[in-house]
């Protein structure tokens, strides 16, 4: 007989069935009435299964009374209507088999509450806690819904490479991939390292974005998206930055900035609605224990249309806000996260799409506007999290693109494929990138981005 998952047992309407469950003991409580209560969790849902283990079990004294948090068990018995409050059903055990014991003194997730900082040192055990179990399930649902959203709209899922020779964002924040001996790399006559002798015959890095490769597929197949890990060697120690994070990047041919903003809004609202519909129990936990109000906020955002304004209008709003920002806003400066949070959190009290940023603070590939000083860029800002999406209409005019690359100090020879797309059948196209962990952070109200990815990578953390 195969085990039945706790999520299914707790949803059962017919009692009296003979079932087998398996999981890890969260607590054991011994009653004077000749039995023990075990709370067993198997990760299939937030709630535990309550097991009643009578003292008539043959291994009651030797094993059941020595079960401690963390031990793994298989329980067989009858699913019964629960008399106690707090749960609908319980499992009346006829047999409790102990698979793996757990010494109470050593197990780090015993009875006392363990904080998130300490749990970060236990990445292999933290999925056994309520918070990280709930996070893993919410992450899963959001990932599935991302695929569902794009599949339903005819976007092809394209796998772009993790190792690449180009720097998409042109910011130089890339992790080198090399097999050269760091102590004695081959050198050119001028003393610099000869990457021609490296594994790929040239400098290679971990990708910061799949966009450039995604554009090639969009300019052949129409609508595509990528969803994969991306890497940034940026020395940012904040609660919103990771060195390794997952990014979703749709790219549409025959599309402009308005199409891009409309897609971003439909996408986020779909995800907010889906996570509310599918993760009620887990979101309830975050609402009670992590960030009160997180569910109401999601409900509001799933229903309300997004705000929209240009960068120039945003700067004017910030300048006249009467607020003492740490960084005084001024035209030409990138928006700081305090500015983003003010716009989304206080002015609009919901998501805002900011468009048309100054050319000088955005990447080389964004389409130049007719004013000659801004580009067709858009960022979607959320309350508290700030920027969650960055995107743009792409520069499809070869000459304008070449000029932008020169101004950005990029060698056009390094991007021959990208330029070819403008040489052969160039079309207007647009896309964006959504930081998956920032989405999970927003949906759960978790404070630190390092706690919404199973194994966080950040400066000095690997
Ligand atoms: O704004 P970014 O840098 O845009 C791009 O990479 C474009 N190539 C995307 C595109 O147009 N296809 O990054 C996109 C999003 C950000 O809005 C943010 O949500 C997330 O990726 N992000 C990070 N998330 C966690 N840690 C970091 N260090 C991040 N850097 C960016
Ligand atoms: Mg950005």
């Amino acid at each position: 007989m195969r085990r039945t998952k706790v999520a299914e047992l707790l949803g059962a309407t017919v009692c009296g069935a003979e079932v087998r469950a398996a999981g890890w003991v969260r607590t054991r409580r011994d009653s004077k009435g000749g039995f023990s209560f075990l709370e067993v969790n198997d990760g299939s849902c937030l709630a535990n299964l309550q097991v009643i283990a009578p003292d008539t079990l043959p291994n009651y004294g030797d094993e059941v009374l020595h079960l401690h948090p963390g031990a793994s068990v298989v329980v067989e018995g009858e699913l019964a209507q629960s008399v106690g409050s707090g749960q609908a059903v319980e499992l009346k055990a006829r047999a409790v088999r102990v698979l793996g014991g757990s010494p109470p003194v050593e197990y780090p997730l015993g009875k006392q509450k363990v904080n998130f900082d300490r749990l970060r040192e236990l990445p292999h055990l933290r999925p056994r806690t309520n918070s990280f179990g709930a996070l893993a399930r919410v992450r899963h649902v959001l990932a599935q819904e991302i695929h569902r959203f794009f599949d339903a709209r005819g976007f092809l899922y394209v796998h772009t490479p993790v190792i690449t020779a180009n720097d998409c964002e042109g910011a130089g924040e890339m992790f080198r991939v090399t097999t050269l001996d760091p102590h004695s790399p081959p050198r050119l006559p001028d003393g610099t390292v000869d990457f021609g002798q490296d594994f790929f015959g040239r400098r290679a890095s971990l990708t910061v974005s799949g966009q450039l490769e995604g554009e090639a597929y969009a300019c052949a197949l129409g609508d595509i998206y990528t969803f994969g890990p991306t890497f940034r060697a940026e020395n940012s120690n904040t609660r919103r930055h990771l060195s390794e994070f997952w990014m979703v990047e749709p790219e549409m041919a025959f599309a402009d900035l308005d199409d891009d903003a409309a897609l971003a809004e439909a996408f986020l609202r779909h995800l907010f609605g889906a996570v509310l519909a599918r993760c009620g129990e887990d979101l309830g936990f975050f609402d009670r224990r992590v960030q009160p109000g997180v569910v109401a906020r999601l409900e509001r955002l799933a229903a309300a249309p997004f705000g929209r304004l240009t960068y120039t209008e945003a700067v004017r709003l910030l300048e006249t806000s009467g607020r003492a920002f740490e960084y005084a806003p001024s035209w030409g400066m990138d928006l700081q996260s305090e500015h983003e949070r003010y716009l989304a959190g206080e002015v609009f009290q919901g998501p805002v799409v900011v468009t048309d940023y100054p050319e000088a603070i955005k990447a080389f590939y964004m389409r130049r506007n007719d004013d000659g000083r801004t580009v067709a860029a858009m960022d979607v800002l959320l309350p508290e999290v700030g920027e969650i999406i960055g995107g743009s209409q792409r520069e499809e005019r070869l000459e304008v693109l070449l000029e932008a690359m020169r101004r950005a100090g990029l060698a056009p020879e390094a991007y021959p494929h990208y330029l070819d797309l403008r040489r052969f059948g160039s079309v207007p196209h647009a896309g964006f990138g959504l930081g998956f962990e920032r989405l999970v952070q927003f949906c759960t109200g978790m404070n630190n981005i390092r706690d919404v990815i199973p194994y966080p990578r950040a400066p000095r953390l690997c």
Side-chain angles (χ1 to χ4, degrees):
M1 181 172 64
R2 178 123 173 86
R3 61 123 178 180
T4 306
K5 291 187 179 166
V6 170
E8 196 181 320
L9 294 176
L10 295 182
T13 44
V14 276
C15 287
E18 198 61 29
V19 299
R20 171 188 284 184
W24 293 268
V25 173
R26 285 286 178 84
T27 60
R28 191 197 82 238
R29 197 157 48 82
D30 306 319
S31 153
K32 293 205 179 70
F35 52 86
S36 296
F37 292 105
L38 303 175
E39 291 289 331
V40 176
N41 190 284
D42 72 355
S44 61
C45 60
L46 184 74
N48 301 323
L49 176 68
Q50 176 162 290
V51 172
I52 316 285
D55 62 4
T56 49
L57 292 173
N59 62 345
Y60 186 78
D62 289 345
E63 288 193 312
V64 173
L65 284 182
H66 298 279
L67 281 173
H68 298 290
S72 49
V73 292
V74 179
V75 183
E76 287 166 13
E78 181 198 327
L79 199 60
Q81 208 93 49
S82 179
V83 282
S85 62
Q87 65 279 317
V89 296
E90 59 193 19
L91 182 54
K92 291 203 156 76
R94 268 190 253 288
V96 173
R97 187 148 55 90
V98 180
L99 298 179
S102 180
V105 181
E106 286 115 274
Y107 189 58
L109 306 178
K111 288 201 176 98
Q112 66 285 37
K113 213 168 143 55
V114 186
N115 67 30
F116 288 141
D117 291 337
R118 168 76 179 122
L119 285 176
R120 228 169 281 141
E121 293 161 11
L122 303 165
H124 58 303
L125 292 176
R126 67 179 189 170
R128 294 193 192 178
T129 63
N130 282 336
S131 320
F132 287 88
L135 277 163
R137 289 183 294 269
V138 168
R139 240 186 112 93
H140 163 83
V141 166
L142 285 169
Q144 296 293 327
E145 289 295 332
I146 284 166
H147 289 298
R148 252 164 64 120
F149 175 86
F150 287 121
D151 186 44
R153 282 164 181 75
F155 282 63
L156 286 191
Y157 179 27
V158 173
H159 300 103
T160 51
V162 166
I163 299 176
T164 175
N166 66 52
D167 179 358
C168 171
E169 294 306 295
E173 290 166 343
M174 306 189 71
F175 289 102
R176 175 82 36 83
V177 175
T178 179
T179 53
L180 293 179
D181 178 356
H183 302 296
S184 60
R187 293 189 186 274
L188 293 165
D190 68 0
T192 58
V193 174
D194 182 7
F195 286 102
Q197 292 189 47
D198 203 346
F199 189 89
F200 296 105
R202 60 189 297 189
R203 284 165 185 262
S205 309
L206 297 179
T207 188
V208 295
S209 160
Q211 179 193 322
L212 302 191
E213 294 90 352
E215 280 185 51
Y217 272 71
C219 291
L221 296 155
D223 295 337
I224 64 98
Y225 71 104
T226 71
F227 185 8
T230 51
F231 308 85
R232 305 254 167 128
E234 174 189 15
N235 196 8
S236 291
N237 278 291
T238 79
R239 57 180 199 88
R240 311 186 319 135
H241 288 87
L242 288 165
S243 308
E244 175 178 318
F245 63 98
W246 285 63
M247 186 150 51
V248 185
E249 297 185 272
E251 191 73 32
M252 300 177 286
F254 315 107
D256 61 14
L257 191 66
D258 286 333
D259 300 319
D260 208 25
L263 180 74
E265 177 168 347
F267 180 50
L268 281 175
R269 285 171 66 175
H270 170 82
L271 294 175
F272 295 154
V275 79
L276 281 165
R278 292 182 57 183
C279 298
E281 185 188 31
D282 289 323
L283 290 184
F285 170 81
F286 291 112
D287 205 78
R288 285 193 309 278
R289 308 297 289 271
V290 174
Q291 194 187 100
V294 73
V295 169
R297 181 174 78 179
L298 276 175
E299 285 168 347
R300 208 173 64 238
L301 300 202
F306 288 17
R308 183 154 171 188
L309 77 174
T310 65
Y311 166 89
T312 304
E313 291 164 344
V315 170
R316 207 173 299 135
L317 266 179
L318 292 164
E319 281 172 340
T320 56
S321 65
R323 269 306 159 94
F325 292 110
E326 193 182 332
Y327 296 89
S330 76
W331 204 97
M333 230 180 84
D334 207 354
L335 297 184
Q336 301 297 310
S337 106
E338 56 175 341
H339 304 146
E340 298 177 340
R341 287 201 302 265
Y342 172 76
L343 290 169
E346 298 186 36
V347 181
F348 286 87
Q349 301 192 6
V352 194
V353 188
V354 181
T355 62
D356 304 291
Y357 284 72
E359 180 170 35
I361 58 169
K362 287 291 182 184
F364 70 95
Y365 51 71
M366 298 190 180
R367 191 178 198 277
R368 189 169 210 198
N369 288 328
D370 292 340
D371 63 10
R373 56 181 208 150
T374 61
V375 286
M378 65 156 202
D379 276 5
V380 180
L381 316 179
L382 292 183
E384 264 147 89
V385 175
E387 177 192 339
I388 190 168
I389 283 180
S392 69
Q393 184 172 342
R394 319 308 188 185
E395 184 55 77
E396 87 283 11
R397 299 162 295 185
L398 181 62
E399 287 311 316
V400 186
L401 179 61
L402 283 169
E403 198 196 311
M405 291 174 95
R406 275 186 225 110
R407 255 204 315 276
L410 299 173
E413 313 82 75
Y415 299 81
H417 304 160
Y418 198 64
L419 295 172
D420 266 0
L421 300 178
R422 278 75 186 165
R423 274 196 198 100
F424 310 123
S426 189
V427 294
H429 59 290
F432 64 76
L434 165 122
F436 185 60
E437 281 71 25
R438 290 200 188 162
L439 173 74
V440 179
Q441 215 183 341
F442 183 77
C443 291
T444 56
M446 289 290 288
N447 179 57
N448 194 325
I449 198 167
R450 297 179 186 191
D451 294 330
V452 301
I453 186 166
Y455 292 88
R457 303 294 182 238
R460 312 203 66 78
L461 178 71
C462 183

